[in-house]
């Protein structure tokens, strides 16, 4: 069965630190990859997505993610985090032969001012 | 992208009762999805609702516990039946936004006492 792994469950950073959140998936076919963010008390919002083309994807608020097919990974990065980035981040995958999302377990990011 | 209105936003219910959650989309969509996000966990797909046919339930979820209606292409309801404290969770509806992944409603935070 398909699965998505987020290895970092809780990350604490100081402002201006660099961020990288890991995401690995288990599916050998063509995938669409997503990162969603959930700010405290708010609903899920799309941060960025990869469908095809350039494996380095840029999203909103300075986030980017790189799709490395050989590693089945889609890690999220941001060079310098801000306090307002405090949120929970979810990686999700949708494959070409299954019509639903698989979500990772989420990573809670706490940015200290 | 689609805009989803979900209500109620939260509720506290007595065990043994039922709660119906409504999801309204501002555009016609073929499929609507219902997810559960239990405390500290990721999102789990409950079922996929197609207009004019019975919902398709994921493993571990049954129609008697989570009946779903889909009367038209912009509306769906999920009922949580005969509730127990284990049903305390956030319930979300979602639709696929072609090219944008999935859009989520703001969620219904259910507490069963």
């Amino acid at each position: 069965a398909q699965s998505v792994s987020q290895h970092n469950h809780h990350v604490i950073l100081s402002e201006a630190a660099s961020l990288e959140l890991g995401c690995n998936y288990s599916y050998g076919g063509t995938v669409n990859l997503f990162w969603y963010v959930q700010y405290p008390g708010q609903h899920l919002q799309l941060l960025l997505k990869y469908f095809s083309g350039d494996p380095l994807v840029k999203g909103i608020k300075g986030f980017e993610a790189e799709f490395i097919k050989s590693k089945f990974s889609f890690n999220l990065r941001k060079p310098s985090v801000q306090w307002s980035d405090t949120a929970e981040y979810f990686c999700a995958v949708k494959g070409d032969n299954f019509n639903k999302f698989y979500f990772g377990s989420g990573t809670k990011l706490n940015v200290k001012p | 992208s689609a805009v989803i209105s979900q209500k109620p936003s939260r509720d506290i219910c007595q065990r043994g009762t039922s709660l119906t959650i409504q999801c309204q989309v501002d555009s016609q969509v073929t499929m609507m999805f219902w997810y559960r996000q239990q405390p500290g966990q990721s999102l789990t797909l409950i079922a996929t609702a197609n207009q004019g046919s019975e919902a398709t339930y994921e493993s571990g979820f049954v129609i008697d516990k989570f009946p779903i209606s889909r009367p038209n292409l912009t509306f769906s309801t999920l009922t949580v039946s005969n509730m127990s404290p284990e049903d305390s969770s956030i319930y979300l509806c979602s639709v696929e936004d072609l090219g944008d992944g999935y859009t989520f409603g703001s969620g219904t935070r259910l507490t069963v006492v």
Side-chain angles (χ1 to χ4, degrees), chain A residues 34 36 38 43-44 46 49 51 88 90 94 99-101 103-106 108, chain B residues 31 33 35 37 41-43 45 58 92 96 99-106:
Chain A
F34 306 84
Y36 283 85
Q38 188 171 30
H43 60 277
L44 281 166
L46 181 66
K49 62 185 185 287
F51 283 9
E88 189 159 15
F90 293 92
K94 181 176 178 295
N99 194 27
K100 61 183 181 182
F101 265 14
F103 280 89
S105 54
K108 287 185 178 173
Chain B
M31 290 187 288
F33 304 88
Y35 285 85
Q37 186 179 17
Q41 297 188 29
S42 185
L43 285 79
L45 182 64
E58 297 298 306
L92 302 107
E96 184 172 11
D100 267 344
Y102 285 65
T103 296
F104 289 84
S106 52

Side-chain angles (χ1 to χ4, degrees), chain A residues 16-65:
Chain A
S18 64
L19 170 73
E20 181 160 2
L21 302 182
C23 173
N24 289 90
Y25 63 94
S26 65
Y27 177 65
T30 302
V31 291
N32 299 146
L33 297 158
F34 306 84
W35 276 97
Y36 283 85
V37 60
Q38 188 171 30
Y39 297 102
Q42 297 188 28
H43 60 277
L44 281 166
Q45 301 172 40
L46 181 66
L47 200 55
L48 49 78
K49 62 185 185 287
Y50 171 80
F51 283 9
S52 64
D54 189 344
L56 183 61
V57 179
K58 294 194 183 298
I60 60 172
K61 303 185 181 184
F63 285 91
E64 64 178 32

